[in-house]
């Protein structure tokens, strides 16, 4: 496109609203870029959110799309509400009821059962999920009326607790507690039965919150389904960094979208930096191996590094014994060169 602005590179953290699919969110960002006069830009997302879910959806632009796979593998934190008394075929509000129960668990029982779900567990994904069975999505088979035989998978629940608790130290903030509610851990507290409960879970990749909710309800001697689901952290990205789609469209009309982006390296907050000189950067861009790198603080800093030139990402490189090999290169112009 003649006269178009250069394609941007980085992360746009969307606060995805309920009812919008992840693919639709990507399309909406592409539309904002076109309206802003940007050159054709690669756009992808860092982890699907169901249309009924809301919250943090990392959108990768330009060269950041090369890191989308790493984002899919990252841990996530979700807040979710389990409504007791009814299990649906989709395990959320979209499906039809398949089982009902009049039993309502005491809050104290919920507090007691949660610890049994923390750690490495085996989980059965929902029949209405994107898991592929013989090359076809499970939800397509389920919607076609097929009997869907899911296989269990190993996942990790790092922490699980009431929304009012501090469940992840990295959040550095506690969730507001409900005024007047008894402490469920207090043995002297009056018995309180719960129609629903809102929990927060820090989970590994591949964890289905709907399945977790189903299993918690069953462990409590009842059934349940998810009525509210919000992702509040995805990898290094948090809800405080997220911007609504309406705000994105509004701000993009009066400002460069680069002002709303987090840099590509924001998705690599746990990766150490390897500064390069211009000659080394040129070699890396040609895919060549770097040898005889100096040790860091007297030791070889083996492992994955982000190689940069003038703070501009050049490549992800694997270091071993003073030798660095390119894992993934980035094509981002360096204005300082």
């Amino acid at each position: 496109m003649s006269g178009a602005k250069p394609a941007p590179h980085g992360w746009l953290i969307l606060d995805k609203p309920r009812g919008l699919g992840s693919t639709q969110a990507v399309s909406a960002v592409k539309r904002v870029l076109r309206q802003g006069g940007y050159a054709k830009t690669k756009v992808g997302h860092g982890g699907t959110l169901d249309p009924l879910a809301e919250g943090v959806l990392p959108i990768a632009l330009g060269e950041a799309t090369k890191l989308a796979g790493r984002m899919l593998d990252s841990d996530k934190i979700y807040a979710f509400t389990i409504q007791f008394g009814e299990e649906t075929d989709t395990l959320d509000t979209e499906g039809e009821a398949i089982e009902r129960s009049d039993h309502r668990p005491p809050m104290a029982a919920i507090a007691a059962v949660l610890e049994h779900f923390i750690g490495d567990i085996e989980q059965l994904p929902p029949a209405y999920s994107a898991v592929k069975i013989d090359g076809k999505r499970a939800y397509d088979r389920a919607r076609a009326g097929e009997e869907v035989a899911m296989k269990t998978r190993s996942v990790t629940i790092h922490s699980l607790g009431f929304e009012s608790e501090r469940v992840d130290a990295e959040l550095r903030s506690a969730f507001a507690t409900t005024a007047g509610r008894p402490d469920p851990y207090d043995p002297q507290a009056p018995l309180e039965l719960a129609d629903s409960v809102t929990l927060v879970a820090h989970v590994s990749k591949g964890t289905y919150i709907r399945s977790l909710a189903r299993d918690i309800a069953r462990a409590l001697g009842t059934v349940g389904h998810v009525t509210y689901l919000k992702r509040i952290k995805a990898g290094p990205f948090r809800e405080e960094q997220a911007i609504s789609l309406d705000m994105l469209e509004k701000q993009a009309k009066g400002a460069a979208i680069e002002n709303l982006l987090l840099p590509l390296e924001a998705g690599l907050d746990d990766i150490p930096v390897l500064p390069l000189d211009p000659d080394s950067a040129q070699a890396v861009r040609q895919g060549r191996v770097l040898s005889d790198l100096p040790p860091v603080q007297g030791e070889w800093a083996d492992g994955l590094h982000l190689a940069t030139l003038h703070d501009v990402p050049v490549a992800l490189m694997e270091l071993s014994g003073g030798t660095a090999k390119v894992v993934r290169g980035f094509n981002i112009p360096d204005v300082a060169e």
Side-chain angles (χ1 to χ4, degrees):
M1 182 187 299
S2 178
K5 301 176 187 176
H9 306 282
W11 296 94
L12 184 65
I13 314 305
L14 275 189
D15 184 3
K16 188 190 83 66
R18 186 182 176 109
L20 185 75
S22 299
T23 302
Q24 291 174 297
V26 168
S27 297
V29 171
K30 287 182 177 180
R31 183 177 64 250
V32 169
L33 289 170
R34 288 196 302 270
Q35 293 172 345
Y38 290 88
K40 188 174 181 180
T41 305
K42 291 181 180 179
V43 182
H45 63 74
T48 300
L49 267 182
D50 291 340
L52 291 181
E54 58 188 74
V56 174
L57 179 63
I59 302 291
L61 276 63
E63 292 295 281
T65 57
K66 295 178 179 178
L67 300 176
R70 289 181 55 84
M71 199 56 55
L72 296 176
D73 290 340
S74 64
D75 289 350
K76 314 290 192 304
I77 299 180
Y78 295 90
F80 62 103
T81 299
I82 309 172
Q83 178 67 48
F84 297 116
E86 187 173 270
E87 184 175 310
T88 67
D89 52 6
T90 61
L91 303 181
D92 57 23
T93 58
E94 194 174 40
E96 299 293 329
I98 57 174
E99 190 174 349
R100 291 185 171 88
S101 172
D102 292 331
H103 177 67
R104 297 295 182 270
M107 290 296 292
I110 298 173
V113 84
L114 293 184
E115 66 182 67
H116 297 290
F117 289 90
I118 297 174
D120 297 331
I121 65 171
E122 292 293 313
Q123 185 181 75
L124 188 69
Y128 285 83
S129 65
V131 174
K132 284 190 175 182
I133 301 176
D134 296 331
K136 189 175 181 180
R137 300 288 186 187
Y139 55 66
D140 288 331
R141 292 185 180 276
R143 287 167 184 161
E146 297 182 31
E147 188 73 23
V148 181
M150 306 298 293
K151 295 181 180 180
T152 60
R153 58 169 62 185
S154 298
V155 298
T156 302
I157 312 298
H158 299 291
S159 62
L160 175 66
F162 293 100
E163 187 182 32
S164 57
E165 297 172 338
R166 183 191 300 267
V167 294
D168 190 288
E170 292 183 356
L171 292 178
R172 300 189 182 281
S173 63
F175 296 93
T177 185
T178 303
R181 167 167 287 181
D183 181 354
Y185 296 101
D186 181 1
Q188 302 302 318
L191 185 66
E192 179 190 11
L193 300 182
D195 281 320
S196 65
V197 65
T198 299
L199 305 172
V200 176
H202 177 190
V203 303
S204 70
K205 71 170 184 175
T207 303
Y208 280 93
I209 297 299
R210 288 176 290 150
S211 293
L212 181 61
R214 172 200 62 203
D215 296 343
I216 290 172
R218 290 181 180 180
L220 290 164
T222 185
V223 292
H225 65 281
V226 172
T227 57
Y228 166 79
L229 178 59
K230 182 175 184 179
R231 188 157 67 195
I232 55 181
K233 192 168 183 283
F237 301 124
R238 309 177 185 192
E239 61 180 334
E240 308 91 77
Q241 298 168 304
I243 182 173
S244 70
L245 193 56
D246 288 343
M247 186 61 68
L248 168 65
E249 293 175 338
K250 180 179 179 181
Q251 291 194 22
K253 291 178 180 178
I257 201 169
E258 289 88 345
N259 296 337
L260 305 175
L261 292 185
L262 296 177
L264 176 148
E265 56 269 30
L268 298 169
D269 66 339
D270 58 339
I271 304 296
V273 171
L274 174 65
L276 301 177
D277 58 38
D279 290 340
S280 296
Q282 181 63 23
V284 168
R285 287 168 177 157
Q286 294 171 354
R288 287 153 53 190
V289 175
L290 298 183
S291 301
D292 300 323
L293 293 173
V296 177
Q297 296 182 348
E299 297 182 0
W300 297 112
D302 290 351
L304 199 63
H305 285 62
L306 175 64
T308 65
L309 175 64
H310 306 137
D311 294 329
V312 175
V314 176
L316 276 178
M317 304 193 75
E318 186 72 29
L319 270 67
S320 178
T323 298
K325 297 181 180 179
V326 176
V327 175
R328 174 77 73 175
F330 303 115
N331 184 24
I332 301 177
D334 179 9
V335 295
E337 288 187 283

